[in-house]
Amino acid sequence: LRTDLLDAAADLIAEHGSVDGISLRAIARRAGVSPTAVYRHFSDHTELLQESVRHCGNNFLGLLQAAVDNGSDAFDAFDRCGIAYADFALRNPGHYRVMFSRNTEIEAESTIIANATFRILVSLVEQVLADVGDDRSTLTVAVQVHTWIHGIVDLGNAHPDVEWPAAADQLAGLRDALGLERPN
């Protein structure tokens, strides 16, 4: 039931694009339980919303980490992670938007997710720069990469009717433009 409630809250958050106006009753109704059943698993409305954002974040971070772990080297892991990031965000725009929201009720959770995501990216960029013998600032390049990926996702979600190039193709352009290509 706890997972059903978390999923119901996440779905409502995604539909609304915000936690504002999402009542405990609406979450219970979506999960098919009475509002009092929610209190068996969560102390209040805020805890349920925070846990729901954490639940989405753990799914997102799990996908990113699996992509990294399945990479054959730093370059492959970089590609896989970027594609996993874009795919998740484009398929789950509401969850993505809320995970990176500054809403005060969920800000602590969204900050944890944002920091963990960025740490994964910094680690990958550091490995790729080392492999290409590039002494640029890892942090600067990681910020450039994150800005680019976020732009791909944000534009794709804001304008879904535009025929954007595939995320993988856009990410290949990112690697090329930032000099993150595998050495020959």
Side-chain angles (χ1 to χ4, degrees), residues 85-138:
Y85 184 113
D87 283 350
F88 178 91
L90 291 168
R91 287 189 181 136
N92 304 286
H95 294 169
Y96 178 78
R97 185 171 46 252
V98 172
M99 284 188 316
F100 292 95
S101 171
R102 302 278 310 181
N103 183 293
T104 56
E105 286 185 291
I106 60 167
E107 188 168 346
E109 295 308 319
S110 59
T111 299
I112 290 166
I113 295 163
N115 289 340
T117 302
F118 194 66
R119 280 193 305 275
I120 291 170
L121 179 59
V122 168
S123 177
L124 285 170
V125 168
E126 183 175 46
Q127 292 172 43
V128 169
L129 289 175
D131 287 353
V132 297
D134 190 326
D135 65 352
R136 285 182 289 169
S137 162
T138 299

Side-chain angles (χ1 to χ4, degrees), residues 7-184:
D7 288 338
D11 289 345
L12 287 169
I13 290 169
E15 288 172 18
H16 290 265
S18 167
V19 297
D20 298 334
I22 297 177
S23 69
L24 194 133
R25 286 188 182 286
I27 295 168
R29 186 172 35 255
R30 175 66 63 97
V33 299
S34 71
T36 56
V38 175
Y39 291 107
R40 292 187 196 128
H41 300 279
F42 303 97
S43 61
D44 60 23
H45 177 256
T46 300
E47 181 188 5
L48 173 54
L49 293 175
Q50 290 170 340
E51 288 290 327
S52 179
V53 171
R54 183 179 302 137
H55 177 69
C56 291
N58 287 339
N59 291 337
F60 178 63
L61 292 169
L63 288 172
L64 297 183
Q65 192 59 56
V68 170
D69 293 345
N70 289 321
S72 58
D73 61 18
F75 299 94
D76 187 45
F78 181 85
D79 289 346
R80 288 172 181 266
C81 187
I83 290 167
Y85 184 113
D87 283 350
F88 178 91
L90 291 168
R91 287 189 181 136
N92 304 286
H95 294 169
Y96 178 78
R97 185 171 46 252
V98 172
M99 284 188 316
F100 292 95
S101 171
R102 302 278 310 181
N103 183 293
T104 56
E105 286 185 291
I106 60 167
E107 188 168 346
E109 295 308 319
S110 59
T111 299
I112 290 166
I113 295 163
N115 289 340
T117 302
F118 194 66
R119 280 193 305 275
I120 291 170
L121 179 59
V122 168
S123 177
L124 285 170
V125 168
E126 183 175 46
Q127 292 172 43
V128 169
L129 289 175
D131 287 353
V132 297
D134 190 326
D135 65 352
R136 285 182 289 169
S137 162
T138 299
L139 181 62
T140 299
V141 175
V143 167
Q144 291 169 325
V145 170
H146 194 251
T147 301
W148 192 310
I149 292 173
H150 184 74
I152 291 169
V153 168
D154 196 42
L155 286 170
N157 284 335
H159 304 285
D161 296 334
V162 173
E163 291 187 34
W164 300 105
D169 293 338
Q170 293 182 65
L171 293 168
L174 163 113
R175 279 193 326 273
D176 183 50
L178 293 178
L180 303 175
E181 292 287 347
R182 180 188 312 275
N184 294 332

